[in-house]
C-alpha cells in the first residue's frame, strides 16, 4: 500500500508510479472480461458479435447513472485521508456503499425490464435481437455486483491501497478465462449457452469479487474499516454526496448516451459495420487503460494533497500525469496503427470484411489517442478536487459537441460514408485534448475544499503522517 506519507512528500514521479502501476495492471486484467467475451463470441459469428456490441452501450448507460456516487465517495475518502481524519474515511465508505447498493438494485431492475424497448429503439436486425436481449438481461442482473466491486476499488484507491483490488481482479479474471468458453460452447453433456453464456460467466466472477470486497471492508485490515453502525443512513452526508456525485453521473451518462447514439448511426450501415465498430471499440477501451489507470492514480494523489493543503504539489501531479498519459497512449497508438489488421483478426478470424473495416477504424484514430489520454488524466484531477462539473462539461463537449455531430456530418453528408465515423473519433481526440489543457492551465480547479477544514489544520507534516501510518498499519 502507498502510505499517505509517500503520497504527500517526496518525488511526484515515484508517488504516481506506486499508485499507477498496480491500478493499470488491475484495469488491464479487468478489461479481460470484455476481451475474453470478444475473443470467444467472435468464434460464433458476426451476428453474435453485433449482439454484444449493441448491448454494451446500453448496460454501460445504466451503470454510469449510479457511478457518480462512487466518484463522490472516493473523492471524499481521499481528501479526508490526506487530512488525517480516518474516522470520516470509514463513515464515508459505509454511507457511499449503502447508496450504491440501493441505487444499483433500482437501476438493475429498471434496465432488465426496459431492455426490449432499448433494442426496439435501436432497430437491431432480427438475427441480432434475441442474443442481444438475453445478454442484456443477464448483464442487468449483475449490475449490483459491478457497482459494489467498483465502489470497493474506488474507496481503496482513495486511501492509497491498490494491491488488494489487483489481487481480487487477477483471481476472478483467471476464473472467467475458464468459465467463458465453458458457458459459451459447453463441455460434455453440458450444452453451451452462446452469447448468454458469456454474460453469465462474467456475472459469476463479478459476484465473487463483490462479496470478497465487502468482506475486506468489514474486517478493516486494509485502510478502511466499515462497521455496521456506519450503515445507518446519515441523510446530511447522503445529500452532500448525492449532489457532489450528480455531475459525475451526468458525465458518464452523457458518454454512455453518446455511445448509444453512435450505435444508431453505426447500425444504419449494417451488421458488418456494427461488428467492426464493436471490435474496434473493444480495442479502444483496452488501449486507453494506461491513461485510465494514470487518471485514477492522479485522482488519489491530487485528492490527498488537496486534503492536506498542498495545492502546488497537487497541481504538479496533474501536469506530470497528463504528460505521461499523452506519451504512453501516443506510443500505443503508433504500435496499433502498424498492427491494426492483425489485431482485428485476432478477435474475428476468417471474417475478411470485418477485419478490413475494423482495421480502417483503428488506423484512422490510433495516432490521436494521446489527446484522449490528456482528457482522461486532467479529468481525474478535476474529480479529485471536487470539480465534478468540469469533468462533466468535458464529456459533454467530447460526445455531443464534437464526436456525434462530426460523425453524422462526415458519414451522411460526405463521400466518406462509414469511414466518416472513424475520422470523427480522430478529430474529437485532438479537439478535446486542446480544450482540456486550456482548462487545466486556468488553475481555478485547485482551490476547491471538501473536508471543511481550515488550511492550518489540514497541513500535516511527514513525521505526523508516519506516526499515523505506523498506528493504523502495524
Amino acid at each position: 500500500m502507498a502510505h499517505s506519507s509517500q503520497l504527500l512528500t517526496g518525488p511526484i514521479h515515484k508517488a504516481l508510479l506506486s499508485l499507477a502501476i498496480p491500478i493499470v495492471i488491475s484495469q488491464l486484467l479487468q478489461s479481460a472480461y470484455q476481451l475474453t467475451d470478444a475473443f470467444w463470441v467472435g468464434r460464433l459469428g458476426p451476428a453474435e458479435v453485433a449482439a454484444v456490441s449493441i448491448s454494451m452501450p446500453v448496460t454501460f448507460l445504466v451503470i454510469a447513472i449510479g457511478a457518480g456516487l462512487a466518484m463522490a465517495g472516493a473523492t471524499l475518502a481521499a481528501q479526508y485521508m490526506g487530512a488525517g481524519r480516518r474516522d470520516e474515511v470509514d463513515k464515508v465508505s459505509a454511507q457511499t456503499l449503502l447508496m450504491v447498493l440501493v441505487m444499483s438494485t433500482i437501476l438493475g431492475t429498471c434496465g432488465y425490464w426496459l431492455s426490449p424497448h432499448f433494442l426496439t429503439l435501436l432497430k437491431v436486425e432480427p438475427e441480432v435481437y434475441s442474443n442481444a436481449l438475453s445478454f442484456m438481461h443477464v448483464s442487468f442482473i449483475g449490475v449490483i455486483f459491478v457497482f459494489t466491486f467498483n465502489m470497493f476499488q474506488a474507496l481503496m484507491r482513495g486511501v492509497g491501497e491498490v494491491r488488494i483490488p489487483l489481487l481480487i481482479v487477477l483471481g476472478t479474471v483467471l476464473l472467467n478465462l475458464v468459465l467463458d468458453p465453458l458457458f459459451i460452447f459447453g463441455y460434455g453433456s453440458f450444452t453451451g449457452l452462446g452469447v448468454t453464456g458469456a454474460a453469465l460467466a462474467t456475472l459469476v466472477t463479478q459476484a465473487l469479487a463483490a462479496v470478497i470486497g465487502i468482506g475486506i471492508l468489514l474486517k478493516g485490515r486494509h485502510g478502511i474499516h466499515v462497521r455496521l453502525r456506519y450503515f445507518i443512513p446519515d441523510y446530511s452526508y447522503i445529500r452532500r454526496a448525492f449532489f457532489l456525485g450528480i455531475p459525475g453521473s451526468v458525465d458518464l451518462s452523457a458518454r454512455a448516451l453518446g455511445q448509444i447514439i453512435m450505435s444508431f448511426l453505426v447500425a444504419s450501415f449494417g451488421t458488418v459495420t456494427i461488428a467492426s465498430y464493436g471490435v474496434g471499440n473493444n480495442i479502444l477501451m483496452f488501449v486507453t487503460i494506461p491513461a485510465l489507470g494514470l487518471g485514477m492514480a492522479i485522482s488519489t494523489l491530487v485528492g490527498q494533497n488537496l486534503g492536506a493543503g498542498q495545492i502546488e504539489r497537487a497541481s504538479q501531479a496533474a501536469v506530470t500525469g497528463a504528460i505521461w498519459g499523452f506519451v504512453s497512449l501516443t506510443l500505443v497508438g503508433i504500435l496499433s496503427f502498424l498492427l491494426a489488421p492483425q489485431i482485428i483478426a485476432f478477435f474475428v478470424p476468417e471474417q475478411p470484411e470485418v477485419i478490413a473495416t475494423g482495421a480502417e477504424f483503428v488506423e484512422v484514430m490510433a495516432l490521436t489517442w494521446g489527446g484522449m489520454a490528456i482528457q482522461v488524466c486532467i479529468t481525474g484531477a478535476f474529480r479529485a478536487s471536487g470539480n465534478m462539473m468540469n469533468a462533466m462539461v468535458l464529456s459533454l463537449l467530447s460526445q455531443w459537441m464534437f464526436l456525434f455531430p462530426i460523425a453524422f456530418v462526415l458519414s451522411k453528408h460526405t463521400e466518406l460514408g462509414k469511414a466518416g465515423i472513424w475520422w470523427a473519433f480522430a478529430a474529437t481526440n485532438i479537439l478535446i485534448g486542446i480544450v482540456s489543457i486550456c482548462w487545466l492551465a486556468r488553475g481555478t480547479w485547485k482551490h476547491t475544499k471538501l473536508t471543511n477544514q481550515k488550511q492550518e489544520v489540514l497541513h500535516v507534516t511527514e513525521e505526523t503522517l508516519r506516526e499515523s501510518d505506523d498506528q493504523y498499519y502495524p
Side-chain angles (χ1 to χ4, degrees):
M1 173 174 174
H3 291 185
S4 293
S5 58
Q6 297 173 329
L7 302 184
L8 301 181
T9 61
I12 288 177
H13 292 280
K14 183 177 179 180
L16 273 175
L17 279 175
S18 69
L19 290 169
I21 290 176
I23 292 174
V24 170
I25 295 173
S26 178
Q27 292 295 306
L28 284 169
L29 288 171
Q30 208 156 6
S31 72
Y33 284 115
Q34 287 76 34
L35 291 176
T36 302
D37 287 350
F39 178 83
W40 291 114
V41 171
R43 270 66 186 163
L44 296 173
E48 286 77 6
V49 173
V52 175
S53 301
I54 210 75
S55 302
M56 294 304 292
V58 180
T59 54
F60 179 65
L61 170 61
V62 173
I63 292 172
I65 292 173
L69 296 176
M71 294 179 191
T75 298
L76 288 168
Q79 291 208 16
Y80 278 126
M81 192 71 176
R85 300 176 62 186
R86 299 184 191 274
D87 56 331
E88 290 294 337
V89 172
D90 295 342
K91 185 175 180 181
V92 160
S93 301
Q95 291 292 308
T96 309
L97 186 58
L98 174 65
M99 287 191 294
V100 163
L101 289 171
V102 173
M103 182 70 73
S104 61
T105 301
I106 295 172
L107 291 175
T109 301
C110 292
Y112 184 95
W113 292 110
L114 291 174
S115 295
H117 304 289
F118 281 130
L119 294 176
T120 300
L121 284 173
L122 290 172
K123 297 180 180 180
V124 300
E125 297 176 8
E127 67 267 25
V128 175
Y129 181 92
S130 178
N131 279 326
L133 180 61
S134 178
F135 188 90
M136 288 172 65
H137 275 165
V138 176
S139 297
F140 281 125
I141 291 172
V143 158
I144 187 171
F145 304 121
V146 175
F147 270 48
T148 301
F149 185 68
N150 286 348
M151 186 70 250
F152 167 75
Q153 284 186 300
L155 291 171
M156 288 286 102
R157 285 195 302 267
V159 299
E161 173 55 82
V162 290
R163 293 178 301 179
I164 298 301
L166 169 60
L167 294 175
I168 296 173
V169 171
L170 175 61
T172 54
V173 165
L174 291 175
L175 179 60
N176 190 62
L177 288 173
V178 176
L179 294 182
D180 233 14
L182 175 62
F183 286 5
I184 292 173
F185 299 105
Y187 182 78
S189 60
F190 175 71
T191 303
L193 301 174
V195 169
T196 305
L200 186 60
T202 300
L203 184 149
V204 171
T205 52
Q206 289 176 334
L208 179 61
V211 170
I212 294 173
I214 291 178
I216 288 172
L217 292 177
L218 290 172
K219 288 184 177 180
R221 296 177 182 175
H222 298 283
I224 299 177
H225 188 187
V226 296
R227 298 169 175 84
L228 292 180
R229 67 177 182 273
Y230 290 156
F231 285 98
I232 299 173
D234 180 341
Y235 294 105
S236 63
Y237 167 75
I238 291 173
R239 184 169 57 252
R240 182 185 181 199
F242 179 77
F243 285 107
L244 179 62
I246 282 176
S249 292
V250 174
D251 170 1
L252 293 180
S253 299
R255 200 177 306 170
L257 280 171
Q259 290 184 14
I260 291 175
I261 297 298
M262 288 296 293
S263 295
F264 276 105
L265 187 59
V266 171
S268 68
F269 289 97
T271 299
V272 170
T273 303
I274 294 175
S276 302
Y277 176 77
V279 176
N281 238 1
N282 282 332
I283 294 168
L284 177 61
M285 290 171 61
F286 183 76
V287 300
T288 55
I289 286 173
L292 291 170
L294 192 56
M296 294 173 187
I298 291 168
S299 288
T300 299
L301 195 56
V302 169
Q304 290 207 18
N305 278 278
L306 287 177
Q310 301 184 164
I311 297 174
E312 286 311 309
R313 181 176 171 84
S315 179
Q316 291 172 16
V319 173
T320 300
I323 293 172
W324 282 15
F326 174 78
V327 172
S328 63
L329 244 65
T330 297
L331 293 175
V332 171
I334 293 172
L335 185 62
S336 298
F337 176 84
L338 296 174
L339 300 176
Q342 292 87 342
I343 295 171
I344 298 293
F346 176 78
F347 294 103
V348 283
E350 300 177 4
Q351 295 181 34
E353 284 187 275
V354 177
I355 292 171
T357 307
E360 182 185 10
F361 181 19
V362 172
E363 288 168 351
V364 167
M365 66 172 171
L367 299 181
T368 66
W369 283 342
M372 180 174 54
I374 290 173
Q375 180 203 358
V376 170
C377 293
I378 291 176
T379 295
F382 286 163
R383 288 173 179 162
S385 66
N387 288 278
M388 302 292 187
M389 192 68 69
N390 295 11
M392 181 191 77
V393 172
L394 284 178
S395 274
L396 291 175
L397 284 173
S398 175
Q399 293 292 327
W400 297 98
M401 294 296 291
F402 299 151
L403 181 58
F404 180 72
I406 295 173
F408 182 79
V409 171
L410 293 182
S411 65
K412 294 296 185 180
H413 298 284
T414 72
E415 295 180 356
L416 289 171
K418 62 179 180 294
I421 299 173
W422 317 152
W423 282 104
F425 275 86
T428 298
N429 290 339
I430 295 171
L431 290 171
I432 200 61
I434 294 171
V435 172
S436 299
I437 291 171
C438 293
W439 205 335
L440 182 75
R442 290 184 62 196
T444 54
W445 62 275
K446 296 184 286 187
H447 304 291
T448 304
K449 292 186 182 299
L450 302 175
T451 53
N452 296 322
Q453 293 284 317
K454 294 181 180 180
Q455 177 75 16
E456 59 268 20
V457 176
L458 282 173
H459 183 71
V460 185
T461 66
E462 181 178 1
E463 182 179 355
T464 304
L465 284 165
R466 283 176 178 167
E467 290 174 357
S468 179
D469 280 339
D470 290 341
Q471 279 187 333
Y472 205 73
Y473 308 107

